[in-house]
Amino acid sequence: MKNDDFSADYYRMTGNKLTFWGGIKTYFFSHNIRFMYWWRKRNMSSKNPIVKIMCYRLSKKYGLEIGNCKIGSGLYLGHPYNITVNQNAVIGRNVNLHKGVTIGNINVGKRRGCPVIGDNVWIGINSTVVGGIIIGNDVVIAPNAFVNFDVPDHSVVVGNPGVIHHKENAAFGYIGFTDYARKNDDDT
């Protein structure tokens, strides 16, 4: 496991740097941290049966169906229950996924495939992002939005069907504990 990826996940979810004792304490009290630890470990050493069993057990217990997809460092799982991510999805750095989010595949038509999600993206509760689409950087997808179309950088998507609204620094205030958040704090 690239320790940097999990350390970034830990920092995004807790606001603290990963230390031995802090990590142990948080591991036992936060199932999102516990799940990401085993998920990152599974993606590096999928032949170890203990790692597979732990990841499977936590996945079933909390409804976190996150396939063996590509996820950048700094993933934030907010209220992490019933999150589904297709194994072919690609997720960038500093992405927030919240309860009930679905990132899925479309099997037919011009949008066939899985989403590619950029950096600094916030995906709200019960949102659905499907198809061979590209979600740009600095994007907010509002709760309950349905997105099956490309979304450019610096956008907010609202509604079902989704409507795109351009907004500079769209994810500012939504994406915390990152260099992105600090950079934008300096700009204001």
Side-chain angles (χ1 to χ4, degrees):
M1 166 175 53
K2 269 179 67 176
N3 195 32
D4 292 344
D5 288 344
F6 178 70
S7 294
D9 298 339
Y10 182 88
Y11 181 67
R12 289 280 332 282
M13 288 190 259
T14 66
N16 299 312
K17 293 201 182 259
L18 180 61
T19 63
F20 180 76
W21 291 113
I24 295 290
K25 182 177 84 172
T26 306
Y27 176 87
F28 287 106
F29 292 108
S30 300
H31 72 271
N32 52 348
I33 299 291
R34 199 165 44 248
F35 176 79
M36 281 313 296
Y37 173 79
W38 290 107
W39 188 89
R40 294 274 186 202
K41 211 163 173 63
R42 183 194 74 194
N43 282 3
M44 287 301 295
S45 60
S46 60
K47 294 181 181 184
N48 184 334
I50 305 272
V51 171
K52 283 183 169 180
I53 289 168
M54 286 301 296
C55 198
Y56 177 80
R57 181 183 162 279
L58 291 168
S59 175
K60 293 302 175 193
K61 184 174 183 178
Y62 300 112
L64 295 168
E65 299 173 323
I66 300 177
N68 193 19
C69 57
K70 294 180 181 138
I71 297 178
S73 63
L75 181 69
Y76 177 92
L77 298 175
H79 307 289
Y81 294 94
N82 305 318
I83 296 172
T84 302
V85 179
N86 188 285
Q87 67 182 5
N88 297 317
V90 177
I91 298 175
R93 295 179 316 108
N94 302 325
V95 172
N96 289 28
L97 301 179
H98 295 276
K99 182 179 181 178
V101 165
T102 300
I103 299 173
N105 186 45
I106 291 180
N107 293 322
V108 296
K110 67 179 185 175
R111 297 282 184 202
R112 192 169 83 194
C114 277
V116 175
I117 298 171
D119 297 340
N120 302 312
V121 175
W122 187 90
I123 303 177
I125 294 170
N126 295 325
S127 294
T128 301
V129 180
V130 294
I133 62 174
I134 297 173
I135 306 295
N137 299 321
D138 183 35
V139 171
V140 171
I141 297 175
N144 298 311
F146 178 77
V147 182
N148 65 346
F149 49 84
D150 292 342
V151 177
D153 293 350
H154 315 293
S155 298
V156 176
V157 180
V158 179
N160 182 1
V163 177
I164 299 172
H165 300 280
H166 177 77
K167 181 179 180 193
E168 288 298 320
N169 295 320
F172 178 68
Y174 290 92
I175 306 293
F177 302 121
T178 65
D179 290 336
Y180 172 78
R182 281 190 294 276
K183 176 185 81 79
N184 285 314
D185 280 340
D186 294 341
D187 291 345
T188 57

